[in-house]
Amino acid sequence: MPAAPANLDQILARCQQIAGLTLGQLAAELQVPVPADLRRDKGWVGQLLELALGASGGSQAIHDFPHLELELKTLPIDRHGKPLESTYVCVAPLTGATGQQWPESWVCRKLSRVLWLPILAERDMAPADRIIGQGFIWQPDAAQQALLRQDWEELMELIALGRLAQIKGAHGKVLQLRPKAADSKALTAAIGADGRPVLSLPRGFYLKVAFTRAILAQAFGLESER
DNA sequence: CAATGATCATCC
DNA sequence: GGATGATCATTG
């Protein structure tokens, strides 16, 4: 298992080494078995790349590279370089976060610096054949930060006011709130419409495709359409 | 249960 | 085709 990288340059160097490899090739190097499909191994890609890059953290609520305050995100893209999915950020606090300010929020902290690792992963490609792209480190610019902050503040206000049930995935501009649970029967504490505690489906913050697509376009100078 | 890693599958 | 809501595995 690769050692934890000491700095950002080491991480980027490692990214250069694995760019262009298929996930099957990388898995073979690391002696990790490859699932035939991801239906029951949805986290496999992310965990493989964590291993390859020496990320730590596991299932704890901390950065992938704690000392570097760096978050690792794999990003499945199609052959045009467009993200296939929205990107999960973190679970949403449904209680006890009233009064929390944006700079202290887990969304802001996690997104303050991200190592994006595009993976060419058309749906008809077997996991082993998916190809690792060129990873890059991103930090939100002022405009991106403002969009994230605005969406976050709106969503958190609705949560605090007990309007969680009204929030749909379409609510934010770049950030959305959607279910995040093992199934529709999972429950967690939340604030009801009358302000009293209720149980509800856990939610998570996700970045919309248009936002991650813009990040890729920014990094690679691609056209943002198509 | 809640956190991590996300993709699946259905509906529009 | 794309987005929304549902779901899967694993760990502490």
Side-chain angles (χ1 to χ4, degrees):
Chain A
M1 168 156 108
N7 56 53
L8 299 181
D9 286 340
Q10 284 185 11
I11 292 181
L12 288 173
R14 180 67 176 146
C15 286
Q16 292 275 35
Q17 291 172 0
I18 64 174
L21 295 180
T22 65
L23 295 181
Q25 290 170 330
L26 181 62
E29 267 185 30
L30 299 173
Q31 299 184 299
V32 170
V34 183
D37 64 66
L38 298 181
R39 264 180 299 184
R40 294 190 172 274
D41 294 272
K42 298 185 181 186
W44 181 78
V45 177
Q47 284 156 7
L48 178 68
L49 274 303
E50 285 178 0
L51 182 62
L53 295 176
S56 53
S59 66
Q60 300 172 74
I62 56 176
H63 288 94
D64 296 300
F65 302 95
H67 180 62
L68 302 174
E69 292 187 12
L70 178 68
E71 185 70 15
L72 170 64
K73 289 289 178 199
T74 61
L75 187 58
I77 57 172
D78 67 14
R79 58 187 178 171
H80 301 300
K82 189 196 139 188
L84 292 169
E85 300 278 354
S86 54
T87 300
Y88 169 68
V89 180
C90 61
V91 292
L94 301 184
T95 60
T98 53
Q100 187 180 46
Q101 296 301 299
W102 164 247
E104 280 70 51
S105 72
W106 195 228
V107 175
C108 176
R109 292 175 53 205
K110 274 210 173 182
L111 296 181
S112 66
R113 182 155 60 188
V114 178
L115 172 61
W116 292 104
L117 210 48
I119 308 288
L120 178 57
E122 298 271 3
R123 284 211 189 278
D124 58 4
M125 294 172 71
D129 298 329
R130 299 185 178 187
I131 300 170
I132 300 165
Q134 183 186 321
F136 64 96
I137 291 173
W138 165 83
Q139 293 186 257
D141 62 29
Q144 291 166 335
Q145 186 86 222
L147 285 169
L148 290 167
R149 176 175 187 153
Q150 184 182 340
D151 282 348
W152 180 85
E153 288 177 345
E154 286 182 14
L155 291 167
M156 289 301 290
E157 183 173 8
L158 289 171
I159 290 170
L161 292 174
R163 295 184 185 165
L164 175 64
Q166 301 170 21
I167 300 175
K168 306 301 176 188
H171 190 94
K173 293 187 180 70
V174 298
L175 197 64
Q176 59 184 179
L177 196 71
R178 285 164 37 205
K180 170 60 174 174
D183 54 54
S184 58
K185 285 158 284 194
L187 293 175
T188 191
I191 302 171
D194 56 3
R196 305 191 67 78
V198 296
L199 290 175
S200 93
L201 190 59
R203 310 300 164 99
F205 287 110
Y206 295 77
L207 296 177
K208 294 188 176 187
V209 168
F211 189 70
T212 49
R213 184 174 56 188
I215 292 172
L216 289 176
Q218 192 176 35
F220 296 113
L222 300 175
E223 47 193 313
S224 55
E225 284 304 310
R226 276 201 88 166

